[in-house]
Amino acid sequence: MRFSQLFAPTLRETPAEAEVVSHQLMLRAGLIRKATGGIYSYLPLALRVLKKIEKIVREEMDAKGGQELAMPILQPAEMWQETGRWSVYGEEMFRLQDRHDRKFCLGPTHEEMITTLVRGDIRSYRQLPLMLYQIQNKYRDEIRPRFGLMRGREFIMKDLYSFDRDEAGLDESYNKMYDAYLRVFTRCGLTFRAVEADSGAIGGSGSHEFMVIAESGEAGIVYCEKCDYAANDEKAELHPICLPREEQLPLDEKTTPGMKTIVKLCQFLSITPEKTIKTLAYRTDTGTLVLALVRGDHEVNEIKLLNKVGCIQLDMANEEAITHALGSQAGYIGPVGLDDNENIIIVADATVMNMSNAVCGANKPDTHYINVNPGRDFKPSLVTDLRLIKENDPCPHCGAPVKTARGIEVGQVFKLFTKYSAALQATFIDIDSKEKPMVMGCYGIGVSRTMAAAIEQNYDQNGIIWPAPIAPYHVVVIPVSSKDEQQMALAEKIYTELNANGIEAILDDRNERPGVKFKDADLIGYPIKITIGPKAINENLIEIKIRRTGEVLYFSQAEYLSNVKELLIKL
Amino acid sequence: MRFSQLFAPTLRETPAEAEVVSHQLMLRAGLIRKATGGIYSYLPLALRVLKKIEKIVREEMDAKGGQELAMPILQPAEMWQETGRWSVYGEEMFRLQDRHDRKFCLGPTHEEMITTLVRGDIRSYRQLPLMLYQIQNKYRDEIRPRFGLMRGREFIMKDLYSFDRDEAGLDESYNKMYDAYLRVFTRCGLTFRAVEADSGAIGGSGSHEFMVIAESGEAGIVYCEKCDYAANDEKAELHPICLPREEQLPLDEKTTPGMKTIVKLCQFLSITPEKTIKTLAYRTDTGTLVLALVRGDHEVNEIKLLNKVGCIQLDMANEEAITHALGSQAGYIGPVGLDDNENIIIVADATVMNMSNAVCGANKPDTHYINVNPGRDFKPSLVTDLRLIKENDPCPHCGAPVKTARGIEVGQVFKLFTKYSAALQATFIDIDSKEKPMVMGCYGIGVSRTMAAAIEQNYDQNGIIWPAPIAPYHVVVIPVSSKDEQQMALAEKIYTELNANGIEAILDDRNERPGVKFKDADLIGYPIKITIGPKAINENLIEIKIRRTGEVLYFSQAEYLSNVKELLIKL
């Protein structure tokens, strides 16, 4: 490809709307353009990257026996009503009606569709196992689409579904996919971790997420360097901390004007956060108030709370709801005196129950209780593991202090068991002549998200640094002066030679100043830049610059090609 | 691929819902499954065919300088409102609102989107010409989706858009695409014709359609074997027929009870259809009644009528509307006496005006006029070419009698000129420093439709006969007895050998009777079937059967491979 012919409109300025690096760089490098919030066009360079990721995904899915098909994006409501997800999905689902007023959605996922498809054609255990997948647009009406492709409303997913006779078969399919995912992200040239995950609203249990490590990642990851434990911090389990029992002192009130944070409160009372109980108020989707209690130096794991309360959605309660229910404001709320209130659910982290003579809000303005003894002064509705893991907490497997990192979720594998096959009557006749529901798994990769995550992990102040396996082109060839015939001729020759040898090269043949061409090359982020200037003409020295390291190498015309090939394997 | 692992659920019975051959065979061969009316899943075999068509399309688009990108399916309403097509598209457009009540559609086409995209990034004539394309799902809410993939509501299209400085540039882009389309359909192995077409509601003028010739085709084609004229019959122009002038006799009425058709009327009056005027009543989208007049042996070309009347939609008027406006029923309506009626538009084919002493309906029950002389007895609002061309009519170019055929439209190329660039202010600064709207063309290929059309053109009573370039697999290898170890071993060897030599083979390793395997092979329609039976084992004779011709050939193990290769080039 010649740059002069390529539709890759680069921008000098960073568009104000772009909050994250991948979004900024994809706009600037002419990879994407916004159609409307959360909906983008992929321009030719981005499409090349996406196709490379898709090719890797396809090859690895096929290698495990996956078969590609393509299901509709436009899905009739009926099958979603059968599983109950038509109502569960709420406003995140794009819905529409056709001219005959029949209801449809734009598929956010395809469990209902594939299960309905398979139930019509699979009758016998002899037809199992089966792995079917597709790569296509998915839709989610995010309330605040942002971060470019990281949280869009229209995005590209690979979704594979496995169908097995029994759980042993599911385990096998799951392990195959887990293995395939390791290979996919390794082949994409990304640094990532597979972590234990919460299986969330999609149902079932048993799940891993594949996280591209990046500081900008939305997800917290904990991992242990002593054993092989790694988990989404939302999922990581923690044992309660054993605390020495103190003699229980009588409950008392303290006036604490303006002491609405744990930090201020501790300063005021000259205590450490370990002596305080933090109370957070939430509201479930049905409007019930939930008070979550953790020790003052701990954080609430909202996913654990959601799962334990057993509701679909959980939001922080607003001041109005708190004042209405408790007669006080956030900062002064607490669990004491609410044991008989049937409208409030109190969930305590198990560590809280080991505390003695603690401090918590008194549900009165400017007032805290001191000498609070859980069990004596209040009885939670539920005691459980509610704590969010943090750096140096003990590894749930081996007890060694854990490390933390930030990650971008690019893939997830789930065991669905019979959740959908039972709901949709996708059964088969087993070898024992009994009719059984198929045992299912589902396995997703965010293809467009992987592209964005690759950038979040690989960039510098000058632009993108593509890992070679998913770079839009491997090499850019830049003649320093487009008016120098010798330079142009040599650049042309090298460009042709590279492409003839299976190296994807682009020739920057634009009539632009060298600075513009170099800047665009760095911005777009080709792994290798070959500069054809006077040195190349006069000294037979081809300049090769490695985008990632900045290293500059010189080779003769006879030698550059084999060296480029070798370099690309490592980049 | 081993058939035992493949998700290709074949059916013995033809599903009752399937009206056309391609739909029947795709269901029976396990290529597609219906999700709901007009919306299908493409199973693995179909997806392979689609990908082969797409690959051919991509290669030919790229060869002409096309650059692939991917625009959103979900399109904001605003840009459609700017061009006015938000209202024009009517009920055929799937519309929806997001959670913030913003309006969207599912793209039926992408002129608005691409023009909006390009206007933001193209500023100078130096950036032109530009050809951008995508292959993706398109959406059209057909009132009666039917004929399987021939008229679906979700379908796969390639759409390319060209942007040029001027009309000379557009001509060049148009010719490139015309040429690319010839290559695409030739490479797909299809018999087709490029015909002059009406450019319809999409706007602009100058258009060709690419028609796969098939008896089941919805479109009529006329072509001339003397010159190179070929056109959609909707588009074909006709000169008026010169008729000898007769002495005009006085207008008179005849009672013609029950003579509602031309045939009956002619028998009753002992005249030929050439002496009658046929009057058809239509209603425009704004409710105006249109009477279309052609000679009794001619048919009305409704597309010509639509274009001449200049309305968006035209439907046959119902009995009620006819009776209300004319006081009579269809079969007895005519133009006489309506000259002063401002609510009725009378459009006459030019040949009608050359008729003398003709017969037409009198707008009274059971009554016709005789001795009707157009011009004397009625004055049409408009005289024009309104006739639908038929076999043996004179070629509009050379006058030789034309031939007719039926075709399935699989591609269309349009000159849009500045219709969209002007409406959406997609301008550039030309070399003369003047701001001008870009000159556009658009070029579509129905990818899923091409698959269906290929079947409509290539099948027999046993199933599909794929042209080799788009066959899901080239060769099926069938061991006669799956229990015969020698046969299985040889079949396995040949299967492996074929794939190793770049021939896509499938091994029917199922534990099924030979009849079942042969029937499925014919149904799915692989170009070549290799049977491994006793002859292969005992006599070193590999049986090769050609699906299209039924020809059976025998080759030794040493020779079969080169012969298969050779055969495939021709199939």
Side-chain angles (χ1 to χ4, degrees):
Chain A
M1 175 56 76
R2 288 154 198 281
F3 204 120
S4 64
Q5 318 269 307
L6 179 71
F7 187 54
T10 56
L11 307 174
R12 287 290 151 260
E13 306 296 324
T14 300
E17 74 197 76
E19 299 170 69
V20 295
V21 164
S22 60
H23 190 194
Q24 292 167 356
L25 290 177
M26 278 193 275
L27 286 169
R28 284 191 52 207
L31 265 68
I32 59 170
R33 285 295 179 263
K34 180 172 155 179
T36 186
I39 300 179
Y40 295 86
S41 288
Y42 305 110
L43 305 195
L45 285 176
L47 199 68
R48 285 182 72 92
V49 175
L50 291 171
K51 283 188 181 291
K52 288 187 180 191
I53 297 170
E54 288 178 6
K55 182 166 187 282
I56 291 171
V57 169
R58 276 197 181 97
E59 286 171 1
E60 296 301 334
M61 295 303 109
D62 292 349
K64 299 296 184 192
Q67 295 180 60
E68 190 174 2
L69 45 61
M71 289 179 281
I73 286 172
L74 195 53
Q75 301 187 13
E78 289 78 11
M79 52 183 76
W80 290 86
Q81 287 159 345
E82 273 190 75
T83 62
R85 289 210 292 179
W86 185 255
S87 51
V88 170
Y89 250 97
E91 290 202 294
E92 288 218 338
M93 193 185 244
F94 279 107
R95 294 157 205 259
L96 66 157
Q97 300 193 330
D98 71 4
R99 65 198 295 161
H100 306 297
D101 291 330
R102 286 192 211 101
K103 288 180 179 158
F104 289 83
C105 70
L106 301 184
T109 177
H110 277 70
E111 283 80 9
E112 279 79 359
M113 181 65 82
I114 192 97
T115 309
T116 308
L117 177 69
V118 165
R119 82 172 165 197
D121 283 300
I122 296 292
R123 307 247 174 273
S124 157
Y125 70 94
R126 281 191 223 93
Q127 295 169 282
L128 299 177
L130 191 62
M131 285 184 173
L132 300 170
Y133 76 96
Q134 60 178 354
I135 300 178
Q136 77 171 185
N137 278 4
K138 294 274 188 278
Y139 294 83
R140 195 177 299 155
D141 196 358
E142 293 278 356
I143 190 160
R144 271 194 313 270
R146 52 192 186 150
F147 307 145
L149 302 192
M150 300 287 281
R151 197 185 288 178
R153 297 201 283 175
E154 180 179 75
F155 50 97
I156 305 171
M157 287 276 295
K158 184 281 305 179
D159 45 328
L160 183 143
Y161 304 88
S162 67
F163 297 85
D164 280 282
R165 286 172 64 184
D166 50 28
E167 292 192 12
L170 171 59
D171 283 346
E172 218 171 290
S173 296
Y174 187 90
N175 291 338
K176 276 186 188 173
M177 278 300 114
Y178 184 95
D179 185 47
Y181 276 41
L182 295 182
R183 291 184 51 84
V184 164
F185 297 113
T186 304
R187 285 184 61 191
C188 286
L190 299 172
T191 304
F192 68 98
R193 269 184 190 277
V195 303
E196 289 179 19
D198 184 82
S199 53
I202 205 160
S205 65
S207 174
H208 283 86
E209 284 167 346
F210 293 77
M211 298 281 197
V212 167
I213 305 302
E215 274 171 41
S216 62
E218 282 188 288
I221 297 169
V222 291
Y223 60 96
C224 175
E225 293 189 322
K226 200 174 159 208
C227 71
D228 64 352
Y229 180 77
N232 188 318
D233 60 11
E234 294 172 342
K235 159 82 177 179
E237 284 163 27
L238 283 168
H239 303 294
I241 299 172
C242 292
L243 298 167
R245 285 280 158 197
E246 296 170 20
E247 189 189 340
Q248 297 192 345
L249 303 176
L251 185 70
D252 202 359
E253 278 187 18
K254 273 265 180 190
T255 303
T256 51
M259 301 301 136
K260 292 179 74 173
T261 66
I262 298 277
V263 173
K264 283 187 183 171
L265 181 67
C266 288
Q267 280 174 345
F268 184 74
L269 298 176
S270 295
I271 53 169
T272 61
E274 284 84 350
K275 290 304 283 181
T276 66
I277 297 171
K278 189 192 286 181
T279 307
L280 295 174
Y282 295 86
R283 276 168 68 100
T284 67
D285 43 296
T286 57
T288 307
L289 197 74
V290 175
L291 297 186
L293 313 182
V294 290
R295 203 171 71 174
D297 58 325
H298 293 160
E299 298 298 330
V300 171
N301 181 325
E302 294 184 353
I303 296 294
K304 285 181 185 172
L305 182 63
L306 184 84
N307 289 340
K308 292 290 161 51
V309 172
C311 58
I312 292 166
Q313 208 177 325
L314 204 59
D315 296 306
M316 291 296 291
N318 57 23
E319 283 291 336
E320 200 188 324
I322 293 171
T323 309
H324 177 78
L326 303 173
S328 177
Q329 283 188 310
Y332 292 101
I333 62 173
V336 178
L338 302 174
D339 286 2
D340 297 330
N341 190 327
E342 288 177 0
N343 299 317
I344 297 175
I345 300 171
I346 298 175
V347 187
D349 180 58
T351 299
V352 169
M353 302 312 287
N354 296 343
M355 295 168 75
S356 306
N357 302 322
V359 174
C360 71
N363 295 327
K364 280 192 237 175
D366 297 339
T367 312
H368 279 84
Y369 283 123
I370 61 166
N371 300 332
V372 177
N373 285 283
R376 183 193 73 177
D377 300 325
F378 67 91
K379 294 191 179 55
S381 324
L382 185 66
V383 175
T384 183
D385 167 26
L386 206 60
R387 176 152 63 105
L388 187 67
I389 200 166
K390 61 179 198 294
E391 183 105 18
N392 293 325
D393 269 334
C395 167
H397 283 192
C398 76
V402 295
K403 302 268 183 191
T404 58
R406 305 299 302 170
I408 299 164
E409 187 206 324
V410 289
Q412 190 162 10
V413 292
F414 286 106
K415 291 183 185 175
L416 298 171
F417 298 97
T418 58
K419 180 180 161 98
Y420 295 98
S421 51
L424 294 161
Q425 294 93 46
T427 59
F428 68 101
I429 305 299
D430 207 351
I431 196 162
D432 58 10
S433 301
K434 285 192 181 139
E435 189 175 355
K436 298 175 184 172
M438 298 176 217
V439 183
M440 292 173 57
C442 77
Y443 315 87
I445 290 179
V447 174
S448 42
R449 199 166 221 251
T450 297
M451 173 165 71
I455 296 173
E456 293 289 339
Q457 188 178 76
N458 300 280
Y459 71 95
D460 63 15
Q461 69 281 8
N462 298 319
I464 304 167
I465 305 173
W466 288 112
I470 60 172
Y473 292 91
H474 299 131
V475 178
V476 60
V477 181
I478 303 182
V480 173
S481 164
S482 59
K483 283 168 192 140
D484 184 311
E485 280 179 27
Q486 279 186 296
Q487 286 182 22
M488 284 303 281
L490 180 55
E492 188 86 38
K493 176 171 176 281
I494 284 175
Y495 160 71
T496 308
E497 213 161 62
L498 287 165
N499 280 308
N501 281 274
I503 295 166
E504 297 169 15
I506 184 161
L507 176 67
D508 196 342
D509 59 339
R510 293 175 299 170
N511 182 17
E512 292 280 6
R513 283 172 293 115
V516 170
K517 294 190 274 193
F518 293 150
K519 269 203 156 58
D520 277 346
D522 282 353
L523 178 59
I524 293 171
Y526 316 100
I528 290 176
K529 179 171 73 189
I530 296 184
T531 305
I532 306 297
K535 250 200 170 77
I537 303 299
N538 305 328
E539 302 172 48
N540 187 21
L541 287 177
I542 311 284
E543 183 187 305
I544 290 180
K545 186 164 178 180
I546 298 168
R547 175 70 182 88
R548 188 175 293 279
T549 60
E551 206 179 343
V552 179
L553 304 165
Y554 291 92
F555 298 103
S556 70
Q557 283 191 45
E559 284 171 347
Y560 85 95
L561 186 62
S562 58
N563 280 282
V564 166
K565 275 187 191 168
E566 222 165 276
L567 282 168
L568 280 173
I569 294 166
K570 290 180 283 185
L571 290 175
Chain B
M1 175 56 75
R2 289 155 198 282
F3 204 120
S4 64
Q5 318 269 304
L6 179 71
F7 187 54
T10 55
L11 305 175
R12 287 290 149 260
E13 305 296 323
T14 299
E17 73 198 75
E19 298 169 71
V20 295
V21 164
S22 60
H23 191 195
Q24 292 167 357
L25 290 177
M26 278 193 274
L27 286 169
R28 282 191 54 206
L31 263 68
I32 60 168
R33 285 294 179 265
K34 180 173 155 180
T36 187
I39 300 178
Y40 295 86
S41 287
Y42 305 111
L43 305 194
L45 285 176
L47 199 68
R48 287 182 70 94
V49 175
L50 292 170
K51 282 186 182 293
K52 288 187 180 190
I53 297 170
E54 289 178 5
K55 183 167 186 284
I56 291 170
V57 169
R58 276 197 180 94
E59 287 171 0
E60 296 301 334
M61 295 303 110
D62 291 350
K64 299 297 184 192
Q67 294 181 60
E68 190 175 359
L69 45 61
M71 289 179 281
I73 287 172
L74 195 54
Q75 301 188 13
E78 289 76 11
M79 53 183 75
W80 290 85
Q81 287 159 345
E82 273 190 75
T83 62
R85 289 210 293 179
W86 186 255
S87 52
V88 171
Y89 249 97
E91 289 202 293
E92 287 218 338
M93 194 186 243
F94 280 107
R95 293 158 205 259
L96 67 157
Q97 302 193 328
D98 72 3
R99 64 199 295 162
H100 306 297
D101 292 330
R102 286 192 211 101
K103 287 182 180 155
F104 288 83
C105 70
L106 301 185
T109 177
H110 277 70
E111 283 82 9
E112 278 79 359
M113 181 66 80
I114 193 95
T115 309
T116 307
L117 177 69
V118 164
R119 80 170 167 199
D121 283 301
I122 297 292
R123 306 246 175 274
S124 158
Y125 70 94
R126 281 191 222 91
Q127 295 169 283
L128 300 175
L130 191 62
M131 285 184 175
L132 299 171
Y133 76 96
Q134 60 178 354
I135 300 179
Q136 81 173 180
N137 279 3
K138 294 274 188 279
Y139 293 83
R140 194 176 298 156
D141 196 358
E142 292 279 356
I143 190 160
R144 272 194 313 268
R146 53 193 185 147
F147 307 145
L149 302 192
M150 300 287 281
R151 196 184 287 179
R153 299 200 285 174
E154 180 180 75
F155 50 97
I156 306 171
M157 287 276 295
K158 183 282 302 179
D159 44 329
L160 183 142
Y161 305 88
S162 66
F163 297 85
D164 280 282
R165 286 170 66 185
D166 50 27
E167 291 193 14
L170 171 58
D171 283 345
E172 217 171 291
S173 296
Y174 187 90
N175 291 339
K176 276 185 187 173
M177 279 300 114
Y178 183 95
D179 185 48
Y181 276 43
L182 294 182
R183 291 184 52 85
V184 164
F185 297 114
T186 303
R187 284 184 61 191
C188 285
L190 299 172
T191 304
F192 68 99
R193 269 184 191 277
V195 303
E196 288 178 19
D198 184 80
S199 52
I202 206 159
S205 65
S207 175
H208 283 86
E209 284 167 345
F210 292 77
M211 298 280 196
V212 167
I213 304 301
E215 274 172 42
S216 61
E218 283 189 287
I221 297 168
V222 291
Y223 59 97
C224 175
E225 293 189 323
K226 200 175 160 209
C227 72
D228 65 353
Y229 180 76
N232 189 317
D233 61 11
E234 294 172 342
K235 159 81 178 178
E237 284 161 27
L238 284 167
H239 301 293
I241 300 172
C242 293
L243 298 168
R245 287 277 159 198
E246 297 170 17
E247 188 189 341
Q248 298 193 345
L249 302 176
L251 184 70
D252 202 357
E253 278 187 18
K254 274 264 178 186
T255 303
T256 51
M259 301 301 137
K260 292 180 75 174
T261 66
I262 298 276
V263 173
K264 283 187 183 170
L265 181 68
C266 287
Q267 280 174 345
F268 185 73
L269 297 176
S270 296
I271 54 170
T272 60
E274 285 83 350
K275 290 303 283 183
T276 67
I277 298 171
K278 191 192 284 181
T279 306
L280 294 175
Y282 295 87
R283 276 167 71 100
T284 68
D285 43 299
T286 57
T288 307
L289 197 73
V290 175
L291 297 187
L293 313 182
V294 290
R295 201 170 72 173
D297 59 326
H298 293 159
E299 299 297 329
V300 170
N301 181 326
E302 295 185 352
I303 297 294
K304 285 182 186 172
L305 181 63
L306 184 84
N307 289 339
K308 292 289 161 55
V309 172
C311 59
I312 291 166
Q313 209 178 325
L314 203 60
D315 296 306
M316 291 296 291
N318 59 24
E319 282 290 335
E320 200 188 324
I322 293 172
T323 310
H324 177 77
L326 303 174
S328 177
Q329 283 188 310
Y332 291 100
I333 62 174
V336 178
L338 303 174
D339 286 1
D340 298 330
N341 191 328
E342 288 178 0
N343 299 317
I344 298 175
I345 300 173
I346 298 176
V347 188
D349 180 59
T351 299
V352 168
M353 302 313 286
N354 295 344
M355 294 169 75
S356 307
N357 302 322
V359 174
C360 71
N363 295 327
K364 280 193 238 176
D366 297 338
T367 312
H368 279 86
Y369 282 123
I370 62 168
N371 300 332
V372 177
N373 285 284
R376 182 192 73 177
D377 300 325
F378 67 91
K379 295 190 178 57
S381 325
L382 185 68
V383 175
T384 183
D385 167 26
L386 206 61
R387 175 152 62 107
L388 187 68
I389 199 166
K390 61 180 201 290
E391 183 107 17
N392 292 325
D393 269 334
C395 168
H397 283 193
C398 75
V402 295
K403 301 269 180 188
T404 58
R406 306 297 303 170
I408 300 164
E409 187 206 326
V410 288
Q412 189 162 10
V413 291
F414 286 106
K415 291 183 185 174
L416 298 171
F417 298 96
T418 58
K419 180 181 163 102
Y420 295 97
S421 52
L424 294 161
Q425 293 93 46
T427 59
F428 69 102
I429 305 298
D430 208 350
I431 197 162
D432 58 9
S433 301
K434 287 194 180 136
E435 190 175 354
K436 299 176 183 171
M438 299 177 216
V439 183
M440 292 173 56
C442 77
Y443 314 87
I445 289 179
V447 173
S448 42
R449 199 165 220 251
T450 297
M451 174 166 70
I455 296 173
E456 294 289 341
Q457 188 178 76
N458 300 279
Y459 72 94
D460 63 15
Q461 70 281 9
N462 296 318
I464 304 167
I465 306 173
W466 288 112
I470 60 171
Y473 291 91
H474 299 131
V475 178
V476 60
V477 182
I478 303 182
V480 173
S481 163
S482 59
K483 284 168 190 140
D484 184 312
E485 281 180 25
Q486 277 186 296
Q487 286 182 23
M488 284 304 280
L490 180 55
E492 188 87 38
K493 176 170 175 282
I494 284 173
Y495 161 70
T496 309
E497 215 161 60
L498 287 165
N499 279 306
N501 281 276
I503 295 166
E504 297 169 15
I506 185 162
L507 176 67
D508 195 343
D509 60 339
R510 292 176 300 169
N511 182 16
E512 292 279 8
R513 282 173 295 116
V516 170
K517 294 189 275 194
F518 293 151
K519 268 203 155 57
D520 277 346
D522 282 353
L523 178 59
I524 293 171
Y526 316 100
I528 290 177
K529 179 170 74 188
I530 296 185
T531 305
I532 306 297
K535 250 199 169 76
I537 303 299
N538 304 329
E539 302 172 48
N540 187 21
L541 287 177
I542 311 283
E543 182 187 307
I544 290 180
K545 187 164 179 180
I546 298 168
R547 175 71 181 87
R548 187 175 294 278
T549 59
E551 206 179 343
V552 178
L553 305 165
Y554 291 93
F555 298 102
S556 71
Q557 283 191 45
E559 284 171 348
Y560 86 94
L561 186 61
S562 58
N563 279 284
V564 167
K565 276 188 192 169
E566 223 166 277
L567 283 167
L568 280 174
I569 294 167
K570 291 179 284 185
L571 290 175

